[in-house]
Amino acid sequence: RGRDLGMSASEKEAKRNEASGKADKKVKADTKKPFAAEIILETTKSKESTDEKWSGGGTGIGYAPALHFCKHATAANIASISNSEAKRVNLECKGCGIKDSKNLWIDLASHEIYCGRHSNGCMLKNRDNTNHPLVMCFGDLSFWCYECDSYIHHLKLRTIYDAYCAFHMAKFGQVVQAPFTGPQVEGKSVNES
């Protein structure tokens, strides 16, 4: 026992496990492959630590990191839309006629609606033809920037928030409280302005 004085608690536990034959089990536990959720969380953490524009959080399951900053989120790339206009949007792909609202996207510059890559990919064709960078999915009201190749956080950029608010009102009939306290510079997150 006198030899244990300078050892840490984990070293003492390892020594006890080795003596009782549990050492092999501990090694196997340490070498197991991580769950998918652990990989996603680790990816999110590494992006947060290296790039402050990424948002963190989420459970790691079904969560995609979103940018807090996008230089493309400007009035030039997002045509304003009123609540009444958002309610009257025809949820049908202009390219192929599909009506699956979970996979329909709106081009925020032209307000034209196309299906996403998991249907017939008409929005990608629209993007190639127009170079409009920003789109919103009707299924979950998420925002994507083709130029940044990332989702955009809808409560961090005023121009994105304004579009989100109109479509949220049309879909759910509820107002989303503005997280903004004053004027905001286009393309800057709430914390940057």
Side-chain angles (χ1 to χ4, degrees), residues 55-120:
S55 69
T59 63
I61 299 173
Y63 175 77
L67 297 177
H68 285 207
F69 169 80
C70 173
K71 68 181 182 181
H72 310 101
T74 63
N77 291 322
I78 303 173
S80 65
I81 189 163
S82 69
N83 292 347
S84 61
E85 289 172 316
K87 285 180 185 177
R88 292 192 309 266
V89 168
N90 181 20
L91 293 178
E92 181 178 333
C93 177
K94 186 177 176 184
C96 68
I98 196 169
K99 294 183 179 186
D100 175 17
S101 66
K102 291 180 183 175
N103 200 25
L104 288 176
W105 294 73
I106 186 167
D107 177 326
L108 294 174
S110 67
H111 295 169
E112 293 179 336
I113 297 170
Y114 296 96
C115 63
R117 62 185 83 204
H118 298 294
S119 288
N120 295 321

Side-chain angles (χ1 to χ4, degrees), residues 64-185:
L67 297 177
H68 285 207
F69 169 80
C70 173
K71 68 181 182 181
H72 310 101
T74 63
N77 291 322
I78 303 173
S80 65
I81 189 163
S82 69
N83 292 347
S84 61
E85 289 172 316
K87 285 180 185 177
R88 292 192 309 266
V89 168
N90 181 20
L91 293 178
E92 181 178 333
C93 177
K94 186 177 176 184
C96 68
I98 196 169
K99 294 183 179 186
D100 175 17
S101 66
K102 291 180 183 175
N103 200 25
L104 288 176
W105 294 73
I106 186 167
D107 177 326
L108 294 174
S110 67
H111 295 169
E112 293 179 336
I113 297 170
Y114 296 96
C115 63
R117 62 185 83 204
H118 298 294
S119 288
N120 295 321
C122 294
M123 184 54 83
L124 290 171
K125 294 171 194 164
N126 174 66
R127 162 63 179 147
D128 291 342
N129 293 332
T130 65
N131 287 326
H132 295 163
L134 298 166
V135 295
M136 184 202 76
C137 178
F138 284 103
D140 60 2
L141 300 183
S142 61
F143 291 81
W144 181 262
C145 178
Y146 284 107
E147 292 294 318
C148 295
D149 194 30
S150 182
Y151 286 101
I152 309 297
H153 197 294
H154 63 279
L155 296 177
K156 297 296 181 180
L157 299 169
R158 184 64 196 224
T159 51
I160 296 292
Y161 167 80
D162 290 343
Y164 172 79
C165 211
F167 288 107
H168 187 277
M169 184 66 168
K171 186 172 184 173
F172 300 109
Q174 298 174 335
V175 175
V176 178
Q177 294 300 315
F180 310 100
T181 56
Q184 186 191 29
V185 178

